[in-house]
Amino acid sequence: MGAANVIPGVSGGTVAFITGIYERLIDALKAFDLKAVRMLFQLDIKGFASHVDLGFLMALGCGVLFSVFTLAKVLKWAFADYPVLVGAFFFGIIFASIFSVGKMVNRWRVSEAVALLVGLAIAVALAFMSPAGENTNLVYLLVCGVASMCSMIIPGISGSFILLLMGNYQLIMIKAVNDLRQLNFAESLPILIPVGLGALLGLVVLSHILSWLFKRYHDTAVSLITGFVAGSLVIIWPWKSVAESVTVNGKVKIIAWHRELPDFAQGSTWGALGILMVGVGAIVLMEKLSGSRPERSA
């Protein structure tokens, strides 16, 4: 999940869903409620750990941190130097995972088909929306935090991509983060604190909503997410050129792309297609090794 967030258009939620831990993750996040706080104040560590599935969250957190300091750096370098190949690999993974996620729907009815099309339409529409202008209003920054966290949890939608559409990607992910690294708290904290509060609010609220949806309308919810994942293929499309970029401290940050058709006359295109098939094969192999489809919570 940590490595996925490095690649524009790939969300950690997608990886969680592919690997079959998504519903357990949502339930664990939802468990951070008043009961959990009460257990902490009463020093009931064992009860707290059981209530929030702490062992699972710690294992997942360690994996994310390990990825950030190892695999994510490799992917970031590879995406900077070989964007088409890395994009093709993730395109193959996401393409193959559509069928894996779709198999989690126990019964396809009209409502599931409609949910699939709605999810697909939303994700594709997001891919072609024009970015808004920068806005430093406090309420808008809170909304940015809510939206970015919600999109990170929902499979198929990238949090950084949502910030780009809302016009505050450069302000938050580049300027504010860079100011924080330089210990310029007067510039960074007024931006990052409201965004962080919004992200926390979005995490708490959305985890409860998603948990309720999975328990009451499991097949419809999975169908909607399948549409999101399928639509994200437009965002991660490997063959694209830079439409808009900014330079910060001598480093070029790409914030918009032009999508193009692959040129089959070039050998590099066939190489990218080969890498794409490797991504597809990785998902097929994972399913064969698991011996069954991903588990769902009760």
Side-chain angles (χ1 to χ4, degrees):
M1 289 179 65
N5 287 322
V6 177
I7 308 302
V10 184
S11 73
T14 301
V15 176
F17 217 103
I18 293 171
T19 53
I21 65 170
Y22 186 75
E23 292 181 54
R24 185 176 178 182
L25 173 60
I26 293 300
D27 286 338
L29 294 174
K30 186 198 71 169
F32 283 89
D33 49 19
L34 292 177
K35 182 178 179 180
V37 174
R38 196 161 49 244
M39 288 178 172
L40 279 178
F41 276 112
Q42 294 172 351
L43 298 180
D44 183 5
I45 304 302
K46 184 176 181 181
F48 172 80
S50 176
H51 180 67
V52 303
D53 203 356
L54 188 61
F56 165 74
L57 289 178
M58 288 182 65
L60 185 62
C62 288
V64 169
L65 288 175
F66 178 79
S67 173
V68 167
F69 289 105
T70 56
L71 183 58
K73 288 187 176 182
V74 175
L75 282 175
K76 189 174 183 179
W77 163 79
F79 188 74
D81 290 351
Y82 308 99
V84 174
L85 295 181
V86 175
F89 178 70
F90 276 95
F91 188 95
I93 286 179
I94 295 175
F95 177 78
S97 71
I98 293 172
F99 304 98
S100 299
V101 174
K103 286 193 296 184
M104 294 180 67
V105 178
N106 296 312
R107 182 183 177 189
W108 282 94
R109 297 163 294 187
V110 174
S111 58
E112 280 68 41
V114 171
L116 173 70
L117 293 176
V118 168
L120 178 65
I122 291 174
V124 172
L126 287 174
F128 289 99
M129 285 180 62
S130 299
E134 186 176 293
N135 192 331
T136 58
N137 180 271
L138 178 62
V139 175
Y140 193 74
L141 290 174
L142 283 166
V143 174
C144 283
V146 172
S148 63
M149 181 53 68
C150 289
S151 58
M152 286 178 185
I153 294 178
I154 297 175
I157 303 179
S158 166
S160 59
F161 189 74
I162 293 297
L163 287 179
L164 169 63
L165 293 179
M166 297 183 73
N168 274 355
Y169 177 83
Q170 182 181 353
L171 174 69
I172 297 170
M173 300 300 293
I174 299 178
K175 184 179 183 301
V177 171
N178 186 62
D179 286 337
L180 183 64
R181 287 173 179 169
Q182 296 179 355
L183 303 181
N184 187 354
F185 299 121
E187 294 290 334
S188 62
L189 294 186
I191 301 296
L192 295 179
I193 288 178
V195 171
L197 290 175
L200 181 61
L201 177 63
L203 179 65
V204 172
V205 173
L206 191 65
S207 61
H208 280 79
I209 294 174
L210 288 173
S211 180
W212 179 81
L213 283 174
F214 275 113
K215 286 179 170 57
R216 296 291 186 90
Y217 306 100
H218 179 272
D219 286 355
T220 304
V222 174
S223 301
L224 181 67
I225 287 176
T226 304
F228 282 141
V229 174
S232 71
L233 290 175
V234 178
I235 300 174
I236 196 64
W237 180 253
W239 295 277
K240 49 195 175 186
S241 59
V242 178
E244 185 179 355
S245 64
V246 295
T247 302
V248 180
N249 294 334
K251 295 182 178 180
V252 177
K253 302 286 186 179
I254 300 169
I255 60 176
W257 301 88
H258 280 310
R259 294 167 185 83
E260 304 166 343
L261 292 175
D263 184 0
F264 293 102
Q266 296 185 1
S268 59
T269 298
W270 293 100
L273 290 174
I275 294 295
L276 189 153
M277 294 309 299
V278 171
V280 172
I283 296 299
V284 174
L285 178 61
M286 186 178 70
E287 283 204 329
K288 287 185 177 295
L289 291 176
S290 66
S292 62
R293 68 181 183 181
E295 295 180 2
R296 51 170 287 195
S297 59

